Amino acid sequence: MSKLHVSTTINGEPMEFLCEPNDTMLDALRGPLALTGSKEGCASGDCGACSIMLDDRLVCSCLMLSAEAEGRDIRTIEGMARGEHLHPLQQKFLEMAALQCGICTSGMLVASDALLKKNPRPSEEEVRFWLAGNLCRCTGYDKIVRAVLETAAEMRAGN
Amino acid sequence: MTDIRYLAPQTLDEAIGAFAAAGSAARILAGGTDLLVQMRSGAVKPGLIVDIKKISELTTIEETADGSFRVGAAVPGAVLAEHPRFGKVWPGVLEAVNLIGSTQVQGRASAGGNLCNSSPAADSVPALIAAGAIVTMQGPNGRREMPVEKVPAGPGRTNLKPGEILVSFTLPPRPPGSGDAYLRMIPRTEMDIAVVGCGVSLTLKDGVCTAARVGLGAVAPTVLLVEAAAKALIGSKLDDAALNAAASACSAACRPIDDKRGTIVYRTRIAGVLLKRTAAIAAKRAAEGN
Amino acid sequence: MNVITNNKWIGQRTIRPDGVDKVTGRAAFAADTTMPGQIWGKILRSPHPHARIKSIDTSKAEALPGVKAVVTAKDIVDFPIDKSVILGIQDMRWMCRNVMAREKALFPGHPVAAVAATTEAIAAKACELIEVDYEVLPWAIEIDDALKPDAPILHEFNKFEGKLSNIAGKLEVKKGDIVKGFAEAEVVIERTFTTRPVHQGYIEPHACLVSVAADNKTTIWSSSQGQFMVRAMTAYLTGFPQSDIRAIPAEIGGGFGGKTIVYLEPLATLLAKKSGRPVKMVMTREEVMRATGPTSGSKSTVKIGARKDGTIVAAQGTFHLQAGALPGSPIRGAVGCSFSPYDIPNVLSVGYDVLSNRSKVAAYRAPGAPIGAFAVECVMDELAEALKMDPLELRLKNAARQGTKAAHGPVFPRIGYIETLEAAQAHPHYSEPLGKLQGRLRGRGVASGFWFNAGGESSAQVNITEDGNVVVTTGHPDIGGSRAAIANVCAELLGIDYRRVSVLIGDTASVGFSNLTGGSRVLFASAIVVTQSAEKVITTLRERAAKIWEIDPEAVKWENGAAHPASPNAGQFEPLTLAELAAKAPQMGGPIGAGVQLNTEGAEGGFGTHICDVEVDVELGIVRVIRYTAVQDVGRAVHPGYVEGQMQGGVAQGIGWALNEEYIYNKDGKVDNPGFLDYRMPVCSDLPMIDTVMVEVPNPKHPQGVKGVGEVPLVPVMAAVANAVHNALGRRFCSLPMSPPKVLAELEAKG
């Protein structure tokens, strides 16, 4: 059985890769696409470290076959900054010490970005429930939630 | 090099043809939030994966003139939540579908997949049972319908015939004064499999319950339609006596197991607690009118 | 010792040096690394909890196309049972049996063989083709089962008090005479407590990539809390000299103690040697949960006696901790830390190391201390209730202070425990009303805790670049934010902008020996060697300036990043900046830099006092933490954001340990919940904001006043939660986790 050839768009750029039919999108990102910013914490959709955007929908890349990327629009952590200009969430995470080891950070940022695009005015509770699928073991979530709320406030104020 | 094949057909006939031809070696891929986990763990080793997400009947939501909804079997919970009307008419079904997993999982997981995976603890099923949903499936021998509670046959097994694919759910028109709700008990606030799940749909007229259905999950090999609980509610004003009777009926209907998620004693005890809480929310929604 | 008081950088919330890479996905964790020609390693693991290995036939695996190497125990250096070989915190007799089973498989998941092949799928298939002849033996997992008279014995060489036993060790600390002490007590509380094994829960599975040249020169990239430990362990287990191994620490995705040990590196090294290809090995989440060391399950009995006025006169603790398959549970932490917050004249604290057929325990954040503190702090709470005293008042009355002889031996120097109690008492959390919610009962609890903290070996280099900036190379993997704090220290010392300091973690070839990241020691130890290195650099800079100005180096001072002539030459020469002196370095004597390697001393233990509010859904038995305040004596918060982060992270782990985390075994002795779905760690929506109060009582023995902060935060948490639940429900929970079925059962028993 030969490999599948997939043509897709990742972070706005057309990309192609070969994969096995049972490879997940996470396998493809971390393997042939060499985009290792998305992390594998569990491979079962329980930790969110592999979070990406699939056609503007927040999903776990470990729960998607790489073959499904054909013709779709994929956004990963690598596409969040614009060159040397960090996204406001990335900047705020740094300023507020909302990361320690960093393994969950890619997923947290992608998920937080998805939240603020959908709901620019989330409450603390809404942030916490939105991010329930992103496990962090280092921070206790406190500074992450604060960073998301502050970024939301600043973005609303037009900063 | 694997010997798995992946197909993404554009039509239902194509999908059924391929699915039926591959027999037990084939699996349907909707959101993949169960299938991929099972493949990764080695529990399932499909020879053919049939991705049904390009088939429009399976991925669309329609509200018909008579007020019923037809929801494609592969519609993700997050998409269902964005429908302008569905959540207003069926808030319980919507919240049940959107309690499955995380935000990421809800971006992909569908009620069809949840039903066909046939976990006794599936979140969407008690609410769909309470709603009186009818499923439409199609196979090599054509199309047929079935009440949703008849679909699960046991843990991991359904009553779909070989080659049949779930097409859609039809939720009946809602009489005025109706409301539904779904609650589940989980130890954390999110991300757990339901220890007990309860769906209630009821209709109130002048404060009297004229119709009710109760679905109870994670307390038996399949999700249960608890007719005795509904009977206890119908004709009552949802007073304490009626609610207690319905709660007892739920506990009595339980045939759970002890497992890593809950014990027989615990599940049986809280089934009644959940019934009361769920019925209260459904009643509040019914009284507020749809 | 100069405690810097007038600070520009110390105490600032600077951006961590590794931060931009981490928020953009560029940071290289071990599984992100690749090498040309790399192949994949996989492990075959025992399905049995306890079995003699009679034979292993790897021939079919070796014949599978794509398989490049197979390793079994005979490829690993044997350390005979009769000779203890200590390496760091481990004994090599156990390590060589842990990394791969030798005579027996001792837990389900115990590695039995390893394969390297061109794809992961082929390596996995090859593992399935290895034929192992097991003689299955009876097994015991729970402490009670392992201690029964007829219990299956894990190790025929293990004797305790003359008899074959599953008790692998005993530790005792004693002060005064508890018989006399309890005789004076007017109120005595005695309780027995049990806890389940819990995992450190790091989100990044273990991973490594190893390349071995034909002459055994080896390069290891791995996720670990100690590249020197990786080098040493690998050397000991493979027989390669340490000088042939270069261990490079990748960014680490969480450790909490669980990565102070190796599982993969020696196997990958042997596979790489045999195959001639670089070998990558990455654990799955299931492998992490089944086969890496969670902490001990435990059974503890604690008895505390006091006079009616609240003076504690005697305390006794007996702590049984599971070691798992091989000796080494953290009884030292339970025995040594649990009574340390208090000045008690008569103490007997005894710990037993209990073998059982589950994975060998690995360190978990203040190992042993949270288990002991759970028991002691709950008994303190009950004692306060019996004495009708406020629980913080009881602790204040008996608090350890400077001059107190701790139960575990040392006399305390200046410590900050009382300050944490006072800060907790004064905090609004302690006095604000709990509020009410229908159908819920609320309660508030407090607890304290202590952890030793460590010093130990550390090395650093501070080198001035030719353009006048600074590169600091340190020796410990950064799991908490230590690079940021070290940059703060170095910028402060040199008087330059923080952004001009680059902090890197050296590998074993590029920095001197540095002990593990753990023991809350990284900043403590690194700051000492960085300070001494920076002081040497400053001496050199002053000498260079002195030479240029033709004055005595004693008459040059270093201030604000430049050399200034001090009196009597003050004002006579323009200051010479770091950049100017660096530019002149080649002519003025050569490179400007210094390195220091030390066994650092002067580490002082840390104390914490926590306040917890819970809300219980009484019909369902669900406990939620609705408010939490952690007060800790942190010495000096060099980077407050990351000190707070350590406190908040430890609290979250403790809440999980208290409420929902536990290893569940099925009837076949296998872990039933080896994944994040059913191993229930706190998710974002489970927790409230976690407020922190950092009490700064500087450590007088440290140049910046630093005390370790990373481990103390976990120690008081379970008791704080349990005491809050008691306050809400009037029931004492002596068994963790306080999961809903257990809480509901207790409530129903109460009536």
Side-chain angles (χ1 to χ4, degrees):
Chain A
M1 201 86 265
S2 51
K3 291 196 175 183
L4 298 177
H5 176 269
V6 179
S7 297
T8 185
T9 306
I10 303 192
N11 298 324
E13 283 185 39
M15 288 197 168
E16 299 173 50
F17 61 92
L18 294 177
C19 66
E20 300 289 353
N22 61 336
D23 282 343
T24 66
M25 189 66 213
L26 183 63
D27 294 334
L29 285 169
R30 293 181 57 77
L33 291 165
L35 289 166
T36 56
S38 305
K39 307 298 180 193
E40 178 174 312
C42 70
S44 57
D46 296 306
C47 77
C50 68
S51 299
I52 59 169
M53 299 300 285
L54 172 66
D55 289 341
D56 295 330
R57 185 72 66 189
L58 178 67
V59 299
C60 281
S61 57
C62 75
L63 292 182
M64 177 191 152
L65 291 179
S66 54
E68 295 183 67
E70 179 70 35
R72 312 289 288 275
D73 184 66
I74 309 258
R75 293 196 178 265
T76 69
I77 182 66
E78 287 91 345
M80 215 166 147
R82 299 215 177 290
E84 58 179 42
H85 297 291
L86 296 178
H87 185 284
L89 278 167
Q90 291 170 309
Q91 185 61 35
K92 194 58 71 177
F93 267 49
L94 290 175
E95 289 168 8
M96 293 184 69
L99 65 141
Q100 289 178 34
C101 81
I103 198 75
C104 77
T105 305
S106 302
M108 281 291 178
L109 285 167
V110 171
S112 301
D113 188 26
L115 170 63
L116 295 187
K117 287 189 160 90
K118 190 177 158 129
N119 178 2
R121 191 177 286 273
S123 64
E124 179 187 335
E125 195 181 29
E126 286 172 322
V127 173
R128 288 187 177 277
F129 276 85
W130 183 271
L131 293 178
N134 289 82
L135 289 183
C136 174
R137 197 58 162 168
C138 291
T139 67
Y141 306 104
D142 180 296
K143 292 178 188 300
I144 292 173
V145 174
R146 289 183 200 273
V148 175
L149 290 170
E150 274 218 26
T151 308
E154 282 183 11
M155 286 170 76
R156 288 196 304 270
N159 291 1
Chain B
M1 273 338 174
T2 61
D3 28 11
I4 296 181
R5 286 179 301 127
Y6 167 84
L7 232 61
Q10 308 270 4
T11 69
L12 187 53
D13 286 333
E14 232 186 291
I16 291 166
F19 186 53
S24 60
R27 282 290 188 282
I28 299 293
L29 174 67
T33 55
D34 284 319
L35 180 61
L36 267 62
V37 177
Q38 291 159 0
M39 284 167 60
R40 183 57 55 124
S41 73
V44 161
K45 295 182 174 134
L48 170 69
I49 297 169
V50 181
D51 184 341
I52 53 172
K53 295 192 289 295
K54 295 204 165 110
I55 304 166
S56 76
E57 198 181 356
L58 271 54
T59 53
T60 46
I61 308 165
E62 264 179 73
E63 187 178 7
T64 61
D66 66 354
S68 62
F69 277 90
R70 194 200 62 79
V71 178
V75 172
V79 171
L80 192 59
E82 287 161 7
H83 190 275
R85 289 266 303 145
F86 186 84
K88 293 185 166 49
V89 180
W90 292 104
V93 173
L94 183 62
E95 64 205 356
V97 177
N98 279 310
L99 278 173
I100 302 171
S102 59
T103 310
Q104 289 87 341
V105 167
Q106 290 145 28
R108 299 260 297 169
S110 61
N114 195 229
L115 178 67
C116 291
N117 187 54
S118 209
S119 159
D123 280 312
S124 69
V125 183
L128 286 166
I129 287 178
I134 306 286
V135 304
T136 303
M137 49 262 247
Q138 185 164 325
N141 295 332
R143 187 169 277 227
R144 64 186 180 118
E145 290 181 348
M146 187 190 275
V148 70
E149 61 270 19
K150 296 263 192 282
V151 173
R157 296 180 296 116
T158 68
N159 287 316
L160 267 65
K161 295 200 174 58
E164 274 188 324
I165 300 178
L166 203 74
V167 174
S168 60
F169 297 87
T170 303
L171 281 79
R174 213 81 172 100
S178 300
D180 75 334
Y182 173 76
L183 284 180
R184 65 181 182 176
M185 184 278 161
I186 52 169
R188 294 180 290 182
T189 53
E190 284 284 327
M191 300 304 288
D192 287 327
I193 300 291
V195 177
V196 175
C198 181
V200 174
S201 174
L202 43 79
T203 306
L204 296 179
K205 190 171 157 62
D206 300 323
V208 176
C209 176
T210 57
R213 282 175 66 91
V214 174
L216 199 59
V219 295
T222 62
V223 181
L224 301 174
L225 168 68
V226 189
E227 284 165 325
K231 245 173 132 192
L233 298 176
I234 295 169
S236 80
K237 282 182 174 259
L238 301 181
D239 54 283
D240 282 350
L243 288 169
N244 287 335
S248 301
C250 280
S251 293
C254 288
R255 303 175 262 130
I257 55 171
D258 285 329
D259 71 4
K260 59 193 168 194
R261 295 171 189 146
T263 61
I264 295 168
V265 169
Y266 183 74
R267 287 175 158 127
T268 308
R269 181 77 182 74
I270 68 166
V273 173
L274 281 183
L275 179 285
K276 287 199 259 191
R277 294 186 185 186
T278 316
I281 299 171
K284 188 155 180 283
R285 289 172 175 163
E288 282 160 8
N290 289 343
Chain C
M1 186 277 309
N2 313 294
V3 175
I4 301 169
T5 48
N6 188 12
N7 293 149
K8 187 147 186 221
W9 299 106
I10 290 181
Q12 296 305 315
R13 294 170 189 265
T14 48
I15 304 281
R16 57 190 298 152
D18 51 314
V20 175
D21 274 354
K22 286 180 175 172
V23 298
T24 54
R26 278 178 40 119
F29 295 84
D32 300 330
T33 50
T34 55
M35 273 198 90
Q38 75 182 32
I39 60 177
W40 290 87
K42 285 270 180 231
I43 294 176
L44 174 67
R45 299 179 180 277
S46 164
H48 304 294
H50 195 193
R52 209 172 302 280
I53 297 172
K54 289 162 64 182
S55 67
I56 303 181
D57 181 353
T58 59
S59 54
K60 294 197 178 93
E62 291 174 60
L64 186 68
V67 170
K68 300 299 178 194
V70 176
V71 158
T72 59
K74 56 177 162 50
D75 298 305
I76 297 170
V77 173
D78 183 25
F79 288 83
I81 297 299
D82 55 353
K83 182 163 184 266
S84 174
V85 176
I86 300 296
L87 180 60
I89 56 174
Q90 302 292 346
D91 186 322
M92 292 312 297
R93 295 177 292 169
W94 317 142
M95 288 307 302
C96 76
R97 287 168 171 76
N98 197 47
V99 89
M100 192 164 278
R102 296 193 84 87
E103 306 85 6
K104 281 193 195 178
L106 295 162
F107 62 92
H110 201 169
V112 167
V115 175
T118 49
T119 70
E120 282 189 89
I122 294 173
K125 179 97 185 94
C127 286
E128 288 171 23
L129 296 175
I130 297 176
E131 290 166 351
V132 185
D133 188 9
Y134 293 105
E135 179 196 331
V136 177
L137 301 168
W139 49 268
I141 292 178
E142 305 304 331
I143 289 172
D144 285 343
D145 291 335
L147 296 180
K148 283 194 176 114
D150 56 347
I153 297 293
L154 267 76
H155 297 293
E156 283 99 34
F157 56 75
N158 191 71
K159 289 207 169 80
F160 183 70
E161 290 174 352
K163 285 198 332 235
L164 272 183
S165 168
N166 288 323
I167 295 181
K170 178 181 173 184
L171 185 64
E172 188 178 286
V173 302
K174 211 163 154 172
K175 186 184 175 193
D177 177 347
I178 54 160
V179 174
K180 187 163 100 27
F182 279 115
E184 290 174 35
E186 294 168 299
V187 178
V188 176
I189 305 285
E190 181 175 18
R191 288 265 184 188
T192 298
F193 301 84
T194 60
T195 68
R196 301 291 306 152
V198 294
H199 197 274
Q200 300 82 350
Y202 34 84
I203 308 295
E204 181 212 19
H206 300 255
C208 70
L209 173 58
V210 182
S211 171
V212 180
D215 63 354
N216 287 359
K217 295 280 194 292
T218 298
T219 310
I220 303 175
W221 284 266
S222 66
S223 173
S224 89
Q225 288 175 246
Q227 65 279 38
F228 287 90
M229 175 276 300
V230 170
R231 179 179 75 172
M233 287 280 172
T234 304
Y236 274 58
L237 292 171
T238 58
F240 296 8
Q242 290 196 34
S243 49
D244 277 354
I245 298 175
R246 179 177 188 175
I248 301 170
E251 285 300 339
I252 174 173
F256 314 108
K259 292 179 180 169
T260 58
I261 192 173
V262 291
Y263 297 102
L264 299 175
E265 293 86 336
L267 302 180
T269 302
L270 291 166
L271 288 168
K273 164 90 184 148
K274 281 193 171 190
S275 66
R277 303 275 288 270
V279 172
K280 187 161 179 179
M281 295 183 81
V282 181
M283 281 201 195
T284 63
R285 176 54 47 187
E286 190 175 340
E287 287 180 296
V288 174
M289 301 305 288
R290 287 193 194 287
T292 67
T295 194
S296 312
S298 71
K299 189 168 182 182
S300 309
T301 301
V302 167
K303 181 173 163 186
I304 304 182
R307 286 199 276 267
K308 281 214 193 85
D309 69 352
T311 311
I312 297 174
V313 288
Q316 181 175 10
T318 307
F319 306 98
H320 286 85
L321 270 62
Q322 275 174 323
L326 292 153
S329 72
I331 45 181
R332 176 178 168 260
V335 166
C337 292
S338 313
F339 297 109
S340 295
Y342 310 109
D343 183 359
I344 306 174
N346 307 290
V347 179
L348 177 64
S349 186
V350 182
Y352 294 95
D353 189 22
V354 181
L355 295 163
S356 64
N357 292 108
R358 46 143 273 196
S359 45
K360 173 173 161 35
V361 73
Y364 180 17
R365 206 166 200 161
I371 287 169
F374 169 56
V376 170
E377 295 295 313
C378 284
V379 170
M380 286 293 285
D381 197 64
E382 194 168 356
L383 189 62
E385 192 189 18
L387 292 167
K388 297 190 173 28
M389 276 181 84
D390 171 272
L392 290 178
E393 277 301 323
L394 175 63
R395 289 172 172 84
L396 266 168
K397 188 169 175 66
N398 294 282
R401 62 193 71 219
Q402 183 165 11
T404 302
K405 184 162 162 56
H408 65 282
V411 172
F412 280 129
R414 177 82 175 88
I415 55 175
Y417 178 45
I418 288 174
E419 282 84 345
T420 69
L421 291 167
E422 290 170 341
Q425 278 186 320
H427 197 282
H429 185 173
Y430 200 57
S431 49
E432 273 164 13
L434 274 164
K436 281 190 203 306
L437 189 66
Q438 189 170 34
R440 308 277 191 271
L441 288 178
R442 289 185 176 177
R444 180 167 294 157
V446 298
S448 292
F450 168 80
W451 175 247
F452 310 112
N453 292 336
E457 299 98 326
S458 187
S459 301
Q461 293 155 48
V462 175
N463 289 313
I464 307 301
T465 59
E466 296 126 277
D467 62 353
N469 293 306
V470 186
V471 177
V472 179
T473 308
T474 63
H476 312 282
D478 177 358
I479 56 174
S482 43
R483 275 169 289 191
I486 290 165
N488 280 4
V489 167
C490 197
E492 191 80 52
L493 290 165
L494 290 173
I496 58 174
D497 190 286
Y498 168 91
R499 281 158 289 238
R500 290 169 58 190
V501 179
S502 189
V503 181
L504 305 171
I505 301 162
D507 61 56
T508 55
S510 57
V511 73
F513 179 80
S514 300
N515 211 324
L516 295 172
T517 287
S520 307
R521 57 182 296 269
V522 172
L523 182 61
F524 173 85
S526 305
I528 289 174
V529 289
V530 167
T531 299
Q532 291 190 19
S533 302
E535 285 169 350
K536 289 186 181 188
V537 165
I538 290 171
T539 301
T540 303
L541 291 165
R542 286 168 51 225
E543 285 167 357
R544 301 285 168 98
K547 221 166 168 176
I548 292 170
W549 294 330
E550 292 173 357
I551 60 176
D552 195 305
E554 290 302 310
V556 178
K557 57 182 180 176
W558 184 265
E559 230 168 55
N560 296 322
H564 301 259
S567 57
N569 306 102
Q572 280 203 311
F573 304 99
E574 283 301 297
L576 280 165
T577 64
L578 184 57
E580 288 169 326
L581 288 166
K584 295 187 201 296
Q587 308 95 302
M588 300 301 307
I592 305 176
V596 171
Q597 305 186 1
L598 274 187
N599 191 1
T600 64
E601 290 176 349
E604 287 306 331
F607 293 87
T609 297
H610 293 190
I611 310 169
C612 175
D613 288 354
V614 298
E615 183 178 274
V616 185
D617 180 333
V618 291
E619 286 183 311
L620 297 178
I622 300 177
V623 177
R624 299 259 181 259
V625 173
I626 56 173
R627 187 171 180 185
Y628 204 100
T629 303
V631 183
Q632 186 170 330
D633 135 41
V634 302
R636 193 80 193 294
V638 172
H639 189 305
Y642 292 110
V643 175
E644 291 162 350
Q646 289 299 299
M647 293 168 72
Q648 293 165 333
V651 167
Q653 288 179 313
I655 291 173
W657 194 334
L659 295 181
N660 276 310
E661 290 179 42
E662 58 175 317
Y663 264 56
I664 301 171
Y665 296 94
N666 67 18
K667 58 175 174 50
D668 299 322
K670 295 191 192 178
V671 177
D672 208 13
N673 60 338
F676 286 142
L677 177 61
D678 292 306
Y679 182 79
R680 293 183 264 267
M681 302 189 335
V683 299
C684 194
S685 44
D686 289 342
L687 299 176
M689 294 296 187
I690 300 167
D691 292 323
T692 58
V693 177
M694 298 177 287
V695 168
E696 286 186 307
V697 175
N699 177 354
K701 298 182 192 157
H702 189 276
Q704 288 83 30
V706 166
K707 262 184 219 183
V709 301
E711 291 169 284
V712 170
L714 180 52
V715 181
V717 187
M718 293 104 80
V721 178
N723 291 337
V725 172
H726 167 259
N727 185 246
L729 303 180
R731 298 291 278 182
R732 294 265 164 215
F733 281 83
C734 299
S735 157
L736 295 183
M738 290 175 282
S739 55
K742 283 158 87 172
V743 173
L744 194 66
E746 271 290 320
L747 284 168
E748 299 199 323
K750 170 192 167 149

